[in-house]
């Protein structure tokens, strides 16, 4: 009986110790380290525009009008989650379709057709990231090629020069991580805020 009691006491003590170590010390340490080393990222990568607006650069948003840059196609869902008062929550995720499937090919062809319809004067090859959904469904960035694909349309619809559009794209471009991981990428939200004059470049 005494051995069982000691065993139970040891188990409870181990549980409490690990709870404090992992649940308090570890998480608190990681949070404190992140606040010191990466405060901007740790707090959601929120930035403020000149008119006082607050935006998160990590979340892609749908843009469909001709005077803004278009990002990756979102895969939104507003029917799965809701608040206590019934308000639908917007979220997105991957389609989970195989790139080898006929359904995937049909969807991509439909997206290509839409891009041609919305920008009929553009005869450049369409970059793949404008015709496919990202793994998160809310990717905020596109490739430099996808941004360059849209320059002529933005010149035509915004009244800005090609040089000015190029400067905006450059200002919103993040280089490949450590110079060699991945590729340079353009934040669509920042480009559109710069086009609207809400963000300096």
């Amino acid at each position: 009986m005494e051995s069982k009691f000691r065993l139970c006491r040891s188990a409870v003590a181990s549980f409490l110790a690990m709870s404090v170590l992992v649940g308090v010390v570890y998480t608190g340490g990681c949070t404190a380290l992140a606040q010191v080393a990466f405060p901007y990222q740790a707090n959601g990568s929120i930035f403020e525009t000149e008119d006082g607006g607050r935006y998160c650069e990590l979340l892609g948003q749908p843009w469909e009008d001709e005077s803004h840059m278009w990002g990756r196609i979102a895969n939104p869902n507003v029917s799965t989650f809701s608040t206590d008062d019934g308000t639908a929550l917007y979220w997105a995720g991957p389609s989970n379709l195989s790139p080898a499937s006929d359904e995937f090919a049909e969807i991509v062809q439909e997206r290509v057709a839409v891009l041609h319809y919305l920008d009929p004067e553009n005869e450049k090859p369409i970059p793949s990231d404008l015709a496919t959904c990202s793994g998160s469904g809310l990717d905020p960035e596109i490739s430099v090629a996808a941004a360059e694909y849209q320059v002529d349309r933005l010149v035509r619809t915004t009244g800005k020069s090609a040089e000015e559009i190029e400067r905006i794209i450059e200002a919103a471009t993040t280089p490949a991580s450590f110079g060699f991981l991945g590729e340079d990428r353009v934040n669509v939200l920042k480009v559109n805020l710069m086009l609207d004059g809400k963000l300096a470049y």
Side-chain angles (χ1 to χ4, degrees):
M1 184 68 179
E2 185 177 350
S3 61
K4 290 183 179 180
F5 175 76
R6 284 200 306 269
L7 182 62
C8 291
R9 185 174 59 184
S10 298
V12 171
S14 296
F15 172 77
L16 293 176
M18 292 304 297
S19 295
V20 172
L21 179 62
V22 178
V24 178
V25 177
Y26 174 76
T27 54
C30 288
T31 300
L33 178 62
Q35 289 294 334
V36 172
F38 315 104
Y40 178 69
Q41 293 87 343
N43 290 295
S45 298
I46 304 295
F47 65 93
E48 189 169 322
T49 55
E50 296 177 353
D51 62 352
R54 289 170 61 82
Y55 301 87
C56 175
E57 69 172 89
L58 300 179
L59 295 177
Q61 301 177 30
W63 305 87
E64 297 178 349
D65 60 293
E66 293 186 346
S67 60
H68 285 101
M69 181 166 285
W70 302 328
R72 296 203 69 173
I73 297 170
N75 188 30
N77 184 311
V78 294
S79 61
T80 302
F81 301 109
S82 62
T83 61
D84 293 337
D85 62 0
T87 303
L89 295 178
Y90 182 96
W91 73 286
S95 66
N96 291 328
L97 293 174
S98 167
S101 69
D102 292 337
E103 185 178 359
F104 178 83
E106 291 175 5
I107 291 175
V108 169
Q109 288 303 316
E110 289 175 2
R111 290 171 177 170
V112 168
V114 169
L115 289 169
H116 281 311
Y117 175 78
L118 294 174
D119 192 12
E121 298 180 23
N122 197 336
E123 298 181 353
K124 300 175 184 176
I126 296 176
S128 61
D129 46 335
L130 289 180
T132 57
C133 180
S134 68
S136 67
L138 284 175
D139 197 328
E141 299 166 325
I142 56 176
S143 65
V144 174
E148 294 288 346
Y149 173 83
Q150 305 179 63
V151 169
D152 291 343
R153 170 176 57 81
L154 292 174
V155 169
R156 187 175 69 251
T157 58
T158 65
K160 299 181 183 297
S161 66
E163 291 76 17
E164 191 171 3
I165 300 295
E166 293 285 359
R167 287 201 304 272
I168 289 175
I169 291 174
E170 183 179 357
T173 298
T174 300
S177 300
F178 305 109
F180 65 93
L181 293 178
E183 60 180 280
D184 294 356
R185 52 204 185 274
V186 181
N187 188 286
V188 176
L189 172 61
K190 287 185 175 181
V191 168
N192 289 329
L193 290 174
M194 292 174 189
L195 289 174
D196 290 341
K198 296 181 178 180
L199 191 65
Y201 58 93

